[in-house]
């Protein structure tokens, strides 16, 4: 009996080794590659113990669903702080739920606003981090490429090459919707790749014709027709805005008579007055008569870390640090121009946590980029601002290949908060060329906006 | 002819928290001849079941040797020709009587339904063959147990308290069955403390107490010698104590004294003593010795101490 | 071997009549049937929530069944003394042990099959009744069956030396540890930042505890995407791995049970 026992001990040892070897060499790597639901670290997921238990037993998707419903509730209740971690946890639990990513990044980028409905753009990097994570986990569907590209294109409204990058990936996916594909052309235009954009239209047009032939479904022919007119418009714009002549680079642009010639002087000037603590009145001139221009206006710490001219480094962080710096101030808004001027009150007094005004010096930035302008404005200014000028604030440095308007002013903490020597005084800063204007003032030097297809 | 069962100094030791190591079965020397009904008697906790389990190889002896049908205990080949009816047995309740027999039969490789049927008839359960065990009475369960123990035509049966908890009619039925076993040439080893049963059917008995064999032998020899029982009332306590002796059984309560002495002892002296004490003699009855007397003689008095060990632990 | 099969068959017969098990099974089936109505939670991921939750319910129920079924199996036989009649027959202890275990495995097969049928019917009614989808969903329960057989081996092995109540916690604990092994291993051993001793410890644990997470292959079923290469090989290897562990545990259990006083 003892002999058999001894043998069995031996057999047991061998079995243990066999099992361990199998696990280490083949099963674990394979499981990790093909079967693991893991997207992020469990430990870092901020779940409560019973939630960890639930998810360990495999109720991940279920749990994500429940949490997601809760997040919506928090939104209705305005409890934004609770939402961010929930969104993150949901994506960890169910990393293949595209809805959570898409809605989550949209919430984060758009819905965190102050009392004046200005969104807190410092959440954008978090939305982008979420987007990158979602793409990593769902690389085979077009949706998150679209959402991310759209975030760059529509919300961030700057750095056009980023939107191009995501839309390019988007159109490679099999499941992309035909109606979304022409977005790439628009992104190319903003990125000054006009010819590439036009060629993309042609490519889509060919596909649309084929589709419409195969299937007479109404939407197919509609897409085809839209593309046709887009191509039409683009070609005319390329000619009228002098794009082609400019490209030829043989002086023919200089000789020719194009809508973008001569460059129009926008006549930018601005004045900022502190009307109440944390409340600024921003006024100024902008000679363009038709509506459609929006000037970006930023108030931020003079030494805001990682700040770039007229923007933040949106792409900076890939981790999910939901805690925004509580001692830094960054406010971004748009100044709507009408009757050749702008006049807006920026009230930052209702959100002292979002705009703490802790440091001593603040930079006020004014920024206009024609690449992002409306088409009827671009008809005069061109895609790259060739038809736009300003004696004081034209800038060709801060955005490569584009002529933009960029002006800065400075205010001190005491001035904004109306403290110290500014206790009873209203600080005013203005550009050196500033001239008071009023809506009724005579309208000289009006930009004449050419209409499409000749006068 | 080898003995059906033979043990030499067979011992089982358990460890108990309060008493330390105790020999539940202590150097047991036992011999059971083939073809006899052997009664294994002892009070609760004497070590009867423990002994049977050792003989069946269900637990291992701590010391000593044991042989069943000439083979050392633990030899599984022997199990083909012996059988065991545990005390208070329990069978899978959802099975019918027939299924029980089929199941146990299958463990021997026996699949003979006719045989099962005849076994059921034999224990008087033919009509209840398709009832499930949960619906059986205690007596029926005991009988299906006996049927089960006959499946392999055993040469040797171990019956652990086969009649415990049964009514008198069931007693008789089971007694008759056991007597039939002997007629069929089987050896039967019965553990019991139901002495009147044992007295009626056993050829030989052993009395075990606290793990030690106190008596062993043919019933006739052990019960040799009649006894005389004297009953008297109004006996003073001092007088009652005078009669205590080695072979005398004395019981005394509310001034009534019962003295039980062996035949040949001095009856006159006892009666004289009672008269001197002015007691009134109720009866003087001579009678045959019974197993109960032997049992009480052997075990009595000594059993005053608590026998049951609480929360015992196993010593291998 | 005849004795082993007969004991196994009896064990199945008993298992399917145990009320606790039936109640657990019923609750499991009930949960499976109401899951489709829960998945209104999220409109588009409807299908993945349904499938994920169904499998999770099935896995949890099966584990509970496996533990409750096995933990009491041998202690009950001893307590009710049915084991004495069996061991007094020409049946080796290991045969009895193996028979009981196989009975547990067969009972689990029966119960998991029942749950699978329910699950697929409900799924086909409420979600999708493409045969190919149903067929691919049916693969996971097979893996669960292997997993639960492994869990039953753990429980029956432990049941040879501790009482059922403690065993419930122990077996459950082993299952839990075996379920988090993969993430644990990933966070510690595959992490360049963790200290070497922790790496060695986690390697040791992974070698000494049967890995239950290996059998949870539902993720690609929930989120169908890239085709998985050599799926068959993976299944085969993990099943083999399970059999190796089961053999090991049964040997240990039988060795202990052989020495045990009953
Ligand atoms: N597993 C065990 N561990 C420790 N002690 C035990 C064990 N089994 C039995 N005992 C003790 O051994 C003694 C003998 O028990 P056994 O069951 O053999 O008695 P018995 O003669 O069959 O009694 P009864 O007539 O009540 O059935 C008892 O004191 C009992 O407490
Ligand atoms: Mg007993």
């Amino acid at each position: 009996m003892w002999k058999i026992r001894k043998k069995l001990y031996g057999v047991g040892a061998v079995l243990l080794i066999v099992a361990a070897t199998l696990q280490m060499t083949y099963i674990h790597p394979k499981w990790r590659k093909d079967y693991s639901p893991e997207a992020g670290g469990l430990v870092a997921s901020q779940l409560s113990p019973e939630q960890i238990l639930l998810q360990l037993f495999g109720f991940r998707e279920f749990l994500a669903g429940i949490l997601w419903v809760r997040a919506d509730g928090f939104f209705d209740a305005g409890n934004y702080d609770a939402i961010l971690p929930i969104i993150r946890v949901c994506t960890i639990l169910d990393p293949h739920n595209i809805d959570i990513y898409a809605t989550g990044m949209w919430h984060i980028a758009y819905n965190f606003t102050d009392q004046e409905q200005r969104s807190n753009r410092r959440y954008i990097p978090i939305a982008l981090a979420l987007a990158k994570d979602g793409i990593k986990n769902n690389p085979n569907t077009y949706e998150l490429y679209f959402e991310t590209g759209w975030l760059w294109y529509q919300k961030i409204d700057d750095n056009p090459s980023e939107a191009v990058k995501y839309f390019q990936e988007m159109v490679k996916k099999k499941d992309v919707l035909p109606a979304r594909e022409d977005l790439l052309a628009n992104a190319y235009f903003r990125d000054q790749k006009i010819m590439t954009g036009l060629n993309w239209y042609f490519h889509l047009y060919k596909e649309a014709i084929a589709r419409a032939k195969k299937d007479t479904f109404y939407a197919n022919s509609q897409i085809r027709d839209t593309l046709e007119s887009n191509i039409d418009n683009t070609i005319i714009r390329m000619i009228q805005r002098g794009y082609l002549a400019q490209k030829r680079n043989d002086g023919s642009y200089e000789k020719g008579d194009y809508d973008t010639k001569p460059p129009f002087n926008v006549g930018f000037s601005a004045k900022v007055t502190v009307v109440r603590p944390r409340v600024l009145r921003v006024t100024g001139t902008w000679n363009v008569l038709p509506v459609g221009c929006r000037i970006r206006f930023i108030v931020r710490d003079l030494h805001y870390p990682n700040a770039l001219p007229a923007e933040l480094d949106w792409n900076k962080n890939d981790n999910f640090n939901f805690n925004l710096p509580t001692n830094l101030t960054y406010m971004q808004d748009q100044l709507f121009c009408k009757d050749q001027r702008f006049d807006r009150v920026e009230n930052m007094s209702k959100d002292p946590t979002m705009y703490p005004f802790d440091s001593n010096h603040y930079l006020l930035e004014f920024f206009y980029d024609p690449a992002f302008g409306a088409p009827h404005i671009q008809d005069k200014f061109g895609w790259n601002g060739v038809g736009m000028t300003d004696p004081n604030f034209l800038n060709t440095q801060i955005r490569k290949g584009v002529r933009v308007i960029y002006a800065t002013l400075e205010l001190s903490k005491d001035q904004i908060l109306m403290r110290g020597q500014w206790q009873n005084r209203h600080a005013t800063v203005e550009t050196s060329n500033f001239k008071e204007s009023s809506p009724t003032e005579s309208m000289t030097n009006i930009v004449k906006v050419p209409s499409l297809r000749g006068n | 002819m080898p003995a059906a069962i033979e043990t030499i100094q067979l011992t089982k030791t358990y460890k108990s928290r309060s008493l330390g190591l105790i020999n539940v079965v202590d150097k047991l020397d036992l011999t059971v001849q083939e073809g006899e009904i052997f009664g294994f008697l002892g009070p609760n906790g004497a070590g009867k079941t423990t002994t049977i389990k050792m003989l069946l190889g269900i637990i291992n002896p701590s010391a000593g040797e044991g042989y069943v049908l000439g083979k050392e205990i633990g030899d599984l080949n022997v199990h083909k020709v012996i059988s065991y009816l545990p005390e208070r047995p329990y069978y899978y309740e959802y099975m019918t009587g027939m299924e029980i027999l089929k199941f146990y039969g299958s463990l021997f490789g026996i699949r003979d339904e006719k045989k099962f049927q005849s076994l059921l008839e034999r224990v008087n359960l033919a009509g209840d063959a398709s009832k499930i065990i949960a619906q059986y009475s205690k007596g029926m369960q005991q009988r299906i147990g006996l049927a089960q123990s006959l499946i392999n035509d055993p040469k040797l049966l171990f019956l652990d308290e086969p009649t415990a908890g049964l009514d008198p009619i069931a007693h008789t039925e089971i007694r008759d069955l056991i007597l039939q076993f002997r007629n069929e040439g089987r050896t039967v080893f019965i553990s019991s403390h139901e002495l009147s049963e044992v007295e009626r059917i056993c050829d030989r008995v052993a009395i075990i107490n606290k793990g030690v064999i106190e008596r062993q032998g043919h019933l006739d020899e052990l019960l040799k010698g009649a006894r005389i029982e004297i009953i008297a009332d109004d006996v003073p306590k001092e007088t009652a104590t005078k009669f205590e002796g080695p072979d005398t059984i004395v019981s005394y309560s509310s001034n009534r004294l019962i003295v039980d002495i062996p035949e040949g002892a001095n009856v006159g002296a006892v009666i004289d003593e009672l008269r001197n004490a002015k007691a009134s003699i109720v009866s003087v009855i001579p009678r045959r010795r019974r197993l109960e007397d032997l049992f009480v003689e052997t075990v009595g008095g000594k059993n005053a101490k608590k026998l049951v060990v609480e929360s015992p632990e196993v010593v291998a | 071997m005849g004795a082993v099969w007969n004991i196994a068959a009896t064990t199945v017969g008993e298992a399917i009549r145990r009320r606790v098990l039936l109640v657990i099974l019923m609750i499991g089936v009930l949960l499976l049937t109401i899951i489709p109505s829960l998945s209104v939670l999220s409109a588009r991921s409807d299908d993945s929530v349904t499938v994920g939750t169904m499998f999770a319910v099935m896995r949890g129920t099966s584990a509970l069944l496996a533990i409750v079924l096995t933990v009491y199996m041998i202690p009950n036989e001893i307590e009710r003394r049915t084991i004495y009649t069996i061991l007094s027959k020409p049946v080796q202890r290991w045969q009895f042990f193996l028979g009981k275990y196989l009975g547990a495995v067969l009972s689990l097969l029966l119960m998991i099959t029942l749950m699978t049928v329910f699950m697929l019917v409900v799924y086909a009614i409420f979600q999708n009744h493409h045969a190919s989808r149903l067929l691919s969903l049916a693969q996971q329960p097979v893996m669960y069956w292997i997993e639960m057989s492994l869990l039953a081996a753990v429980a029956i092995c432990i049941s040879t030396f501790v009482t059922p109540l403690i065993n419930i916690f122990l077996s459950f604990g082993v299952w839990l540890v075996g379920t988090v092994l993969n993430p644990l291993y990933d966070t510690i051993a595959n992490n360049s930042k963790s200290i070497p001793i922790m790496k060695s410890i986690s390697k040791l644990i992974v070698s000494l505890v049967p890995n239950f997470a290996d059998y949870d292959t539902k993720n690609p079923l929930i989120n169908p995407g890239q085709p998985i290469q050599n799926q068959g090989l993976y299944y085969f290897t993990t099943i083999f791995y399970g059999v190796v562990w089961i053999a090991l545990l049964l040997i240990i259990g039988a060795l202990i049970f052989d020495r045990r006083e009953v």
Side-chain angles (χ1 to χ4, degrees), chain B residues 134-315:
Chain B
Q135 296 167 343
Y136 275 28
S137 72
K138 242 191 221 165
M140 290 160 83
Q141 289 193 12
Q142 202 71 355
R143 278 183 280 149
I144 195 74
L146 279 171
Q148 164 275 128
S149 70
L150 288 173
I151 284 179
N152 58 333
D153 268 319
K155 284 191 200 151
L156 168 60
L157 290 100
F158 291 90
L159 309 179
D160 197 352
E161 307 196 13
T163 55
L166 301 185
D167 66 28
I169 297 168
H171 271 218
T172 324
E173 285 173 359
I174 290 194
R175 187 168 65 222
D176 290 348
L177 274 170
I178 294 172
L179 286 171
Q180 284 174 26
F181 295 166
R182 175 173 55 192
N183 296 341
E184 291 160 3
R186 308 183 205 278
T187 312
V188 184
F189 184 98
I190 302 178
S191 119
S192 180
H193 40 221
E194 305 224 8
L195 301 168
S196 56
E197 291 301 324
V198 174
E199 190 173 351
R200 279 185 219 182
I201 54 176
C202 287
D203 303 310
R204 287 199 323 130
V205 296
I207 298 178
I208 181 174
N209 188 26
K210 294 183 190 166
V212 179
I213 298 263
E214 303 275 357
R215 297 280 181 95
Q216 181 170 193
H218 275 278
L219 211 48
D220 301 341
E221 277 169 32
L222 290 176
L223 297 184
K224 221 186 267 163
R227 295 184 68 90
I228 293 165
E229 187 183 73
I230 303 158
I231 303 177
D233 280 344
D234 305 328
V235 185
K237 200 171 182 192
E238 316 86 67
T239 316
T241 52
K242 282 183 186 163
F243 301 110
E244 282 172 1
D247 201 11
T248 311
I249 304 165
V250 182
S251 74
Y252 178 75
S253 74
S254 50
N255 288 350
R256 167 173 276 214
L257 176 74
I258 304 170
V259 189
D260 188 301
I261 54 174
E263 195 183 49
N266 196 340
V267 182
V270 174
I271 292 176
D272 287 348
E273 194 74 51
L274 288 171
R275 287 221 174 102
N276 286 345
K278 302 227 162 54
S280 56
I281 294 171
V282 180
S283 65
V284 177
I285 309 163
R287 60 172 179 79
R288 184 182 179 264
R289 228 161 104 93
R290 284 179 302 147
L291 186 55
E292 198 178 329
D293 305 325
L294 178 71
F295 190 76
V296 175
E297 263 170 46
T298 317
V299 177
K302 293 177 190 173
N303 259 4
K305 270 177 238 136
K306 220 171 144 192
L307 282 173
V308 182
V309 180
E310 294 149 312
S311 53
E313 278 167 41
V314 180
V315 168

Side-chain angles (χ1 to χ4, degrees), chain C residues 55 136-145 215-218 221:
Chain C
F55 279 140
S136 67
L137 286 185
Q139 290 168 5
Q140 178 60 66
V142 177
M143 295 302 268
Y144 283 157
W145 178 52
Y215 299 94
D216 210 351
T217 54
K218 69 176 188 297
L221 294 174

Side-chain angles (χ1 to χ4, degrees), chain A residues 125-166:
Chain A
I126 300 174
L128 282 175
L130 195 68
K132 288 174 204 164
D133 186 62
I135 286 176
K136 198 182 85 211
N137 290 319
N138 303 280
N140 297 317
T141 172
Y142 87 96
E143 292 189 55
L144 290 175
Y145 294 103
F146 163 69
E147 298 288 348
T148 316
W150 185 248
L151 190 68
W152 279 104
Y153 184 86
Q154 203 274 333
K155 180 69 191 177
I156 298 176
D157 209 23
D158 213 331
N159 313 88
S161 61
E162 289 288 339
V164 166
K165 193 173 91 191
Y166 284 102

Side-chain angles (χ1 to χ4, degrees), chain B residues 64-80:
Chain B
E65 298 163 39
Y67 297 91
V68 176
L69 298 175
K71 297 263 166 52
E72 207 168 336
I73 56 179
D75 185 337
L76 218 55
N77 284 323
V78 174
H79 285 211
K80 290 178 190 157

